[in-house]
Amino acid sequence: MAELQEVQITEEKPLLPGQTPEAAKEAELAARILLDQGQTHSVETPYGSVTFTVYGTPKPKRPAILTYHDVGLNYKSCFQPLFQFGDMQEIIQNFVRVHVDAPGMEEGAPVFPLGYQYPSLDQLADMIPCILQYLNFSTVIGVGVGAGAYILSRYALNHPDTVEGLVLINIDPNAKGWMDWAAHKLTGLTSSVSEMILGHLFSQEELSRNSELIQKYRNIITHAPNLENIELYWNSYNNRRDLNFERGGDITLKCPVMLVVGDQAPHEDAVGDQLWGIKNLIPASYLLQVECNSKLDPTQTSFLKMADSGGQPQLTQPGKLTEAFKYFLQGMGYMASSCMTRLSRSRTASLTSAASIDGNRSRSRTLSQSSESGTLPSGPPGHTMEVSC
């Protein structure tokens, strides 16, 4: 009797009936390409349906990057220049991305019927858990602009265990005061909704220069087929509540935070200043970031003031913001093997210099950098990194 020989055959991914190995590889490649191009989903929440687009595949033990756009934009018009930037590819290869569109802001969205009650910003934040549950994601790193930054902050306050970090661009954590409310009402009598939103997104200097970028976004907003929906989102933003951040108190962001503002950010209260005879030479958006920074945990917060950047740094300076974002992720313990960026090289050199000057003295945690000088500021030690790049 011939000796029998045992042969063990293993198959990691069983083939479908009648499917050849070559066909299976082609199907897997097609699925991966589809994920890289983005899959759009909609999920029902207690406050209506919300649409989001997912890029990439989840990475083990890594959070998803979740973005939320500003008023007048959707995820593509707000974030595409940033996430398509060349140096950003190293980041997006390491994280799955979830781009959320506020209700009615997604491409092809129908206009809401007359009398539709649009969700408040707090309710928009309460939609996010439904998205994470649908995707079975446990934690995220949020990237928000304007209204989106407020929404992600509100979500982080309500669900701190699911947020590992926040990048907040042009956040206004305060409710509108009565002077702002009066100025907004009077502006509405002489300006269209699209012009008011453009004034929220870009500074007057940017609008007056009327660059190709401004012309593009003016056309996007003015001729938006869902302009009525945009106005509803705009109204919700203007009726936001105060986030009530309190340094050392119970109401604070418990994760690492990077606050971002351009040095030519919009004068949000420019109309009010004219009405009340106030001459404010410092952009209100910058003052809001300074105020917000003062109310957050100094050991967890970085303040990034971007030079040569207007109201939308992710559009005008995607390279600088990518560098800062990479450094932010490295500080959280991710992408440790990534190439050191220009920002982190500059910071390392400045800290080394500070150590040699100060000797054994306590090192200041406030760092004001410039791509030209890289010098440390004088004054009492602070606790927050301020980067001007």
Side-chain angles (χ1 to χ4, degrees):
M1 184 176 179
E3 183 177 347
L4 297 178
Q5 188 175 17
E6 184 178 355
V7 179
Q8 185 177 5
I9 301 175
T10 60
E11 185 177 328
E12 294 183 358
K13 295 183 179 180
L15 301 177
L16 296 174
Q19 188 180 37
T20 65
E22 292 76 13
K25 289 183 179 179
E26 290 179 2
E28 183 180 354
L29 179 60
R32 185 174 297 277
I33 292 174
L34 183 62
L35 285 171
D36 290 339
Q37 291 178 342
Q39 288 183 309
T40 300
H41 308 266
S42 291
V43 63
E44 289 296 328
T45 77
Y47 307 104
S49 177
V50 61
T51 299
F52 52 94
T53 304
V54 183
Y55 288 86
T57 55
K59 305 297 187 292
K61 299 181 180 180
R62 290 209 170 184
I65 294 176
L66 185 143
T67 71
Y68 216 116
H69 60 87
D70 204 352
V71 175
L73 308 174
N74 56 30
Y75 92 84
K76 286 186 177 180
S77 57
C78 189
F79 291 109
Q80 206 166 55
L82 175 64
F83 283 95
Q84 288 186 348
F85 189 76
D87 291 345
M88 179 62 76
Q89 304 314 302
E90 184 182 4
I91 294 176
I92 64 178
Q93 289 172 3
N94 288 277
F95 295 89
V96 62
R97 288 176 289 146
V98 181
H99 297 290
V100 182
D101 280 317
M105 303 301 121
E106 66 274 12
E107 290 185 344
V111 176
F112 290 122
L114 188 65
Y116 174 80
Q117 183 62 46
Y118 198 82
S120 66
L121 294 196
D122 291 2
Q123 291 171 334
L124 292 176
D126 288 337
M127 292 180 172
I128 296 177
C130 299
I131 297 174
L132 300 189
Q133 184 178 8
Y134 177 89
L135 296 171
N136 197 27
F137 291 168
S138 56
T139 59
V140 298
I141 296 172
V143 181
V145 182
Y150 179 102
I151 291 167
L152 292 179
S153 297
R154 177 64 72 185
Y155 170 73
L157 290 176
N158 296 338
H159 304 274
D161 294 338
T162 67
V163 182
E164 294 196 24
L166 286 173
V167 177
L168 305 176
I169 304 172
N170 293 341
I171 184 175
D172 186 346
N174 304 321
K176 275 188 173 294
W178 71 268
M179 290 179 65
D180 296 323
W181 178 86
H184 176 74
K185 290 296 183 183
L186 289 173
T187 305
L189 298 176
T190 58
S191 302
S192 65
V193 172
S194 58
E195 288 300 320
M196 287 192 291
I197 292 175
L198 283 167
H200 161 74
L201 296 174
F202 302 101
S203 67
Q204 291 302 312
E205 291 80 3
E206 290 178 287
L207 294 174
S208 62
R209 287 198 300 267
N210 199 29
S211 64
E212 184 177 344
L213 176 73
I214 297 300
Q215 293 178 33
K216 174 184 175 181
Y217 281 85
R218 186 187 300 275
N219 184 64
I220 288 175
I221 296 171
T222 303
H223 299 100
N226 61 338
L227 187 57
E228 292 90 343
N229 296 355
I230 294 175
E231 184 176 1
L232 294 175
Y233 187 20
W234 174 240
N235 291 337
S236 287
Y237 176 67
N238 287 310
N239 289 309
R240 64 189 178 276
R241 295 190 300 139
D242 198 320
L243 287 173
N244 292 314
F245 289 145
E246 181 183 1
R247 175 172 288 187
D250 294 331
I251 305 177
T252 189
L253 298 174
K254 302 184 185 301
C255 62
V257 178
M258 181 167 71
L259 299 172
V260 182
V261 65
D263 65 346
Q264 300 171 24
H267 293 260
E268 293 278 1
D269 54 356
V271 176
D273 291 350
Q274 293 173 10
L275 288 172
W276 314 114
I278 301 172
K279 291 185 178 179
N280 184 8
L281 300 179
I282 303 176
S285 293
Y286 174 76
L287 296 176
L288 288 168
Q289 310 311 303
V290 173
E291 179 187 1
C292 185
N293 181 45
S294 69
K295 294 180 179 180
L296 297 177
D297 184 350
T299 66
Q300 294 273 64
T301 308
S302 303
F303 185 20
L304 175 62
K305 179 187 174 186
M306 297 184 64
D308 302 320
S309 177
Q312 300 292 307
Q314 80 284 1
L315 301 179
T316 57
Q317 294 288 354
K320 291 181 180 179
L321 187 54
T322 296
E323 288 191 28
F325 188 31
K326 185 183 293 186
Y327 172 69
F328 181 69
L329 292 172
Q330 289 172 339
M332 295 173 60
Y334 297 111
M335 301 180 63
S337 61
S338 173
C339 296
M340 184 177 282
T341 63
R342 177 175 56 83
L343 266 176
S344 51
R345 284 198 303 269
S346 176
R347 180 176 185 269
T348 301
S350 296
L351 287 177
T352 303
S353 175
S356 63
I357 294 174
D358 294 342
N360 294 326
R361 285 186 298 168
S362 174
R363 182 183 302 165
S364 169
R365 293 187 61 129
T366 301
L367 177 63
S368 180
Q369 294 177 310
S370 170
S371 57
E372 292 79 20
S373 62
T375 57
L376 289 169
S378 59
H383 297 282
T384 308
M385 180 181 69
E386 180 177 345
V387 183
S388 180
C389 57

